[in-house]
């Protein structure tokens, strides 16, 4: 019975903590697991995705001049 109360207290303590965002979770993952080589890959993929999204908008003529 005491073990269940301890588990419930742990759960409520974790639920009361401030939620973190996706970017901060990713940075914490990189720090904890020493996977800094993933950062340039993720940023490159996000940059390409941004170019694809902007390629279908009014900014397309300006993007095409970059290449």
């Amino acid at each position: 019975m005491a073990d269940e109360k301890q588990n419930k207290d742990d759960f409520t303590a974790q639920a009361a903590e401030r939620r973190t965002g996706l970017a901060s979770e990713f940075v914490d993952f990189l720090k904890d697991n020493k996977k800094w080589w993933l950062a340039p890959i993720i940023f490159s993929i996000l940059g390409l995705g941004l170019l694809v999204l902007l390629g279908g908008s009014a900014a397309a003529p300006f993007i095409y001049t970059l290449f």
Side-chain angles (χ1 to χ4, degrees), residues 17-35:
E17 291 179 1
R18 195 176 137 260
R19 294 179 63 185
T20 57
L22 181 64
S24 62
E25 287 282 338
F26 182 66
V27 170
D28 288 340
F29 169 76
L30 293 178
K31 284 181 187 176
D32 292 341
N33 295 315
K34 308 283 191 248
K35 305 253 186 222

